[in-house]
Amino acid sequence: MKYLVIIMNLSWITLITFYNNAHSKLPSLAIEEINQGWQFRQVGEAAWFPATVPGIVHTDLFDNKIIEDPFFRTNEKDLQWIDKIDWEYKTIIKVDKKLLERENIELVFKGLDNYADVYLNDSLLLSTDNMFREWRMECKSYLNEGENSLKILFHSAVKEDLPKLKQLGYQLPAVNDQSENGGLGDKKISIFARKAGYHYGWDWGPRFVTSGIWRKIYLEAWDNAKIIDMYIKQKHISTEKASLSGVFEIQSIGKQNATLSISDYKKSDNLGKTETLLLPGLNTVIIDFDIKNPKLWWTNGLGEAHLYKLMGRLHIGDNTIDEAYKNIGIRTLKLIQEKDSLGRSFYFELNSIPVFMKGANYIPNDNFLPSVSAEEYEEVIQAAVDANMNMLRVWGGGIYENDIFYDLCDKYGILVWQDFMFACAMYPGDDAFVENVKNEAIQNVKRLRNHPCIALWCGNNEIDAAWGYGTDGGWGWKERFSKEIQENIWNNYKKIFYDILPNIVKQYNKEIYYWPSSPMAGPDKRAFYEATSGDIHYWGVWHGKEPFESFKLKIGRFMSEYGFQSFPEFKTVKAYTIPEDWDIRSDVMDAHQRSGKGNELINTYMNWYYKSPKDFESFLYMSQVLQAGGLKMAIEAHRRKTPYCMGTLYWQLNDCWPVASWSSIDYYRRWKALHYFVKKAYNEILVSPTEDDGVFSIWIISDRLEPVEAKLDLDLIDLSGNILFQKKIAVSINANSSQCFFKKNTKELLTGIDKKNVVLIVKVSEDEKILSSNQYYFVPIKNIDLPVPQITKNIKTIKNGYAITLNTDKLAKNIYLNIDESDGFFSDNYFDLIPGEISTIYYFTQEKIIDFKNKLKIISVVDSY
Ligand code: BMA
């Protein structure tokens, strides 16, 4: 576990008058964050301990040295008692006379996890049951001048939900809920709590059913009126102008005249203004306005992700009463599903351009959510940007992410496929549950709808596919229930995913398309691997044990999930193990491999493609090489199929703890081999060689919006770099396309050549600049007699680290550069070092490493067996 460091330099005694920006003072609004003086204890125990807010009980216990690091070795097992217990948090809020003179004082909870009773001066103010919701309570009548006690009692989610299971009388499917690990046998209760599904365990995550104040708490005081919400609707966009509407919700105490204005904050340009008569209660005020010659928002790779900062201002008399700010990106975004000769398209059109989506599925960055810092969010999104991605899918078993996540996606041009928080389970349908879901959905749609990054609202992850329609298919869930219960469960499902959620999206964010479940072949058509419409989660490779080559055959219109596991690098493994654990089969390694068949599958595929690794460390490295090679094959095949296929999101970008998983960056945000491979496979221009049924072909895929005149070079070399065959082809690459530029029977191409001892190097260049290069091996690597290379390294110190120039006398397959005691970043890694070519890569670090050249270790596949 990362140690939680939160710097608190604001005194809780100070009333912080909240300025939305440095220039404007808003006498009407004061916000005081309540993050100081917190203590916590186990209910029934005498001793109180200091607590961090926002935070959660597991990190507070760790910070107080009451428990060991939950992520270390098998500690998770010993910490399952925490979720069976009620916890109490308390602090003192000091309130001065000035604050009490305000007309309204609200206590605002951005997130409480999960069943909490809030007491202000011993009066029960609020009971909560949904970590995804924000809670806001008028509290003036409970406050006294001076000290006030605020206490929050967190009921154990386990104790709270077990009776619900009993009452329901049957177990709803929840395949990833690790109830046995939590000592609950087969009682899977995660479905009853509106709480992140992965807290109960997943096939890449531990079981830590957390509780606590996971987002900020503050007191908000105001007089007269207040802007509750500001929504910028984009009505019509052309190059000349963007016609927009600012839809404001304003809470007013009385009947009063007000002026509302909207302006471009950076340019101080007034865009629109309206006089209005506010009535007591909630008012909706609309200002229509235009932005002339708008700069459009583009995704990463296509142009600038231009953002306008808009400011809404509410004036009453001579006073500015409130201000609101929103960053918006002007863009049109459509999901195009049109019938064509092959089925039905499924692609996103941004500013009238069909855009191939290159990305990954994203899970929460930690089991202990408040411990993820802003810098860590930035690093994760930056890794997506650096790997040339333009879309992330916020998957339904996690959380509606923090604002910072969407701000970063807006800033860097990453579209977000946003699931509602439901995954791989069936959920209850009683009125209270449904009402709770409704409130959660409205709040989150309203919170996120201004972000230009939001591309799609999706009901859930894999539930339609798992349950199945009629009597066919599915994951065998239905069969366990009587017809009557089946109908009941399915009706509850339909109520949420075909009625409530689509209607909420229609009402609050109708510009964005709603897709009931991922995957689906159509809005009302169940997914299947051969579908020629909708999106596909293709798990034939991995779960279905099909060879990687199946990735080339099972391609749909939009590949929203597929993947393969690997282990994190040794440095990461060392963070949760001691030397005696360094065996894939050890209890500790097993506890950090949550897919029951994970190791067996990795072994099976490893034996298909590579020689058996000689030891533990080699196995870790080879698992990454295996994963990267497999997914390279998938991504390239998906891109070659443009425009039939228009999106590829592999499973999964990141990890929530150190573990063997499908991720391409690990918990410490270290790039696995896969992430380096993804960066190349998602390059704007990709040259992709392939072989299908004995025919070898070379494709070039371009995401550029203009054509490119380029040169395609083919070099067939032996493992010592001797050229056996060479060809240069002038190529005219069309805009936004995938084209085949070379095709030959492999036999013809390799006449008289031993295909075990050659590699074909392909390169596309424009004016001598290489746009993309790739290699092709004609046999599985295990069948190649890899030579032992002599690698020469030349090191130069540069401003932010070191430049490393490498060359080799013989092919060095997947060279892995590593420095044990340093944690910098290699600009490239795990690539094939080709004899006769000089490669320069960079190691970025702030450290001065003595004897860098000798400390830099380089291994390749031949060293692994
Ligand atoms: C997909 C995801 C996750 C899971 C992954 C690997 O189904 O939606 O539920 O972790 O496969 O099994």
Side-chain angles (χ1 to χ4, degrees), residues 758-810:
V758 292
V759 49
L760 188 88
I761 316 287
V762 288
K763 283 184 190 135
V764 190
S765 44
E766 182 189 28
D767 307 327
E768 303 310 310
K769 185 176 174 259
I770 296 173
L771 302 174
S772 171
S773 67
N774 215 330
Q775 314 79 37
Y776 190 80
Y777 297 86
F778 293 87
V779 295
I781 304 306
K782 71 171 181 185
N783 296 337
I784 300 179
D785 226 349
L786 288 173
V788 177
Q790 286 297 322
I791 299 173
T792 333
K793 38 186 177 177
N794 263 304
I795 314 288
K796 260 201 201 139
T797 310
I798 52 164
K799 201 169 145 224
N800 297 322
Y802 301 87
I804 307 157
T805 304
L806 300 170
N807 59 59
T808 181
D809 61 339
K810 299 207 172 74

Side-chain angles (χ1 to χ4, degrees), residues 14 25 36 61 77 144 197 313 330 352 369 374 433 454 463 484 495 498 530 619 630 645 714 743 833 857:
T14 329
K25 286 185 184 172
Q36 300 289 295
L61 288 166
K77 286 197 176 100
N144 306 317
R313 257 195 178 159
I330 296 178
S352 306
L369 289 160
F433 185 87
I454 295 291
I463 305 181
E484 192 192 331
K495 191 158 52 186
Y498 284 92
E530 284 75 25
F619 189 87
C645 175
L714 283 72
K743 206 172 205 172
L833 191 61
K857 284 203 262 171

Side-chain angles (χ1 to χ4, degrees), residues 256-502:
Q256 50 190 336
N257 285 312
T259 309
L260 189 69
S261 65
I262 190 155
S263 58
D264 181 331
Y265 178 73
K266 286 182 213 157
K267 289 198 195 155
S268 323
D269 252 9
N270 241 324
L271 297 168
K273 200 176 189 177
T274 189
E275 310 277 327
T276 185
L277 175 67
L278 298 175
L279 298 175
L282 203 60
N283 298 260
T284 301
V285 184
I286 298 176
I287 308 181
D288 290 322
F289 64 100
D290 295 337
I291 293 182
K292 297 223 173 70
N293 307 315
K295 269 185 143 183
L296 298 183
W297 183 90
W298 289 99
T299 44
N300 182 29
L302 287 188
E304 189 197 343
H306 184 81
L307 296 175
Y308 287 88
K309 185 171 182 178
L310 300 187
M311 174 171 74
R313 257 195 178 159
L314 179 67
H315 312 263
I316 292 176
D318 289 338
N319 290 331
T320 301
I321 295 292
D322 199 1
E323 288 171 351
Y325 296 84
K326 292 291 170 206
N327 280 328
I328 64 149
I330 296 178
R331 51 111 181 93
T332 57
L333 185 73
K334 290 186 190 144
L335 174 66
I336 309 288
Q337 294 185 82
E338 270 166 7
K339 267 203 170 137
D340 55 26
S341 60
L342 302 162
R344 192 181 282 275
S345 67
F346 191 99
Y347 67 88
F348 291 90
E349 199 185 73
L350 175 68
N351 302 325
S352 306
I353 306 282
V355 182
F356 189 101
M357 291 299 146
K358 302 178 289 190
N361 286 271
Y362 167 94
I363 63 166
N365 289 307
D366 208 298
N367 273 88
F368 309 123
L369 289 160
S371 57
V372 186
S373 67
E375 292 70 34
E376 285 164 3
Y377 271 104
E378 177 107 31
E379 274 183 46
V380 172
I381 302 300
Q382 189 67 56
V385 173
D386 290 346
N388 299 309
M389 295 187 189
N390 57 12
M391 179 175 264
L392 290 173
R393 171 173 175 239
V394 175
W395 162 84
I399 55 165
Y400 305 92
E401 262 298 344
N402 292 348
D403 294 341
I404 185 174
F405 173 88
Y406 303 97
D407 289 343
L408 289 165
C409 289
D410 288 348
K411 175 174 157 192
Y412 290 112
I414 301 286
L415 286 170
V416 173
W417 171 311
Q418 178 68 48
D419 283 3
F420 285 94
M421 291 303 123
F422 303 89
C424 303
M426 298 308 290
Y427 293 85
D430 56 89
D431 292 349
F433 185 87
V434 171
E435 193 54 31
N436 200 358
V437 165
K438 222 188 234 173
N439 286 321
E440 156 195 330
I442 293 173
Q443 273 191 3
N444 283 289
V445 171
K446 285 178 80 175
R447 177 167 71 93
L448 302 182
R449 63 186 171 173
N450 280 304
H451 290 277
C453 67
I454 295 291
L456 185 77
W457 287 102
C458 174
N460 65 68
N461 177 66
E462 294 185 342
I463 305 181
D464 266 79
W467 185 260
Y469 287 84
T471 51
D472 66 318
W475 296 358
W477 286 0
K478 298 195 285 278
E479 290 69 16
R480 289 185 231 150
F481 303 102
S482 68
K483 279 271 166 287
E484 192 192 331
I485 293 178
Q486 278 187 28
E487 212 169 287
N488 193 14
I489 296 175
W490 188 242
N491 285 339
N492 288 339
Y493 177 85
K494 282 203 298 200
K495 191 158 52 186
I496 291 180
F497 300 102
Y498 284 92
D499 179 10
I500 289 168
L501 296 181

Side-chain angles (χ1 to χ4, degrees), residues 617-634:
E617 201 176 337
S618 307
F619 189 87
L620 302 180
Y621 154 71
M622 282 310 295
S623 75
Q624 291 203 17
V625 171
L626 177 72
Q627 177 198 34
L631 263 71
K632 170 184 193 288
M633 204 182 282

Side-chain angles (χ1 to χ4, degrees), residues 176 202-204 395 424 461-462 539 543 561 651 662:
N176 288 287
W202 214 267
D203 56 2
W204 34 259
W395 162 84
C424 303
N461 177 66
E462 294 185 342
W539 284 103
H543 290 297
E561 267 191 31
W651 184 268
W662 295 261

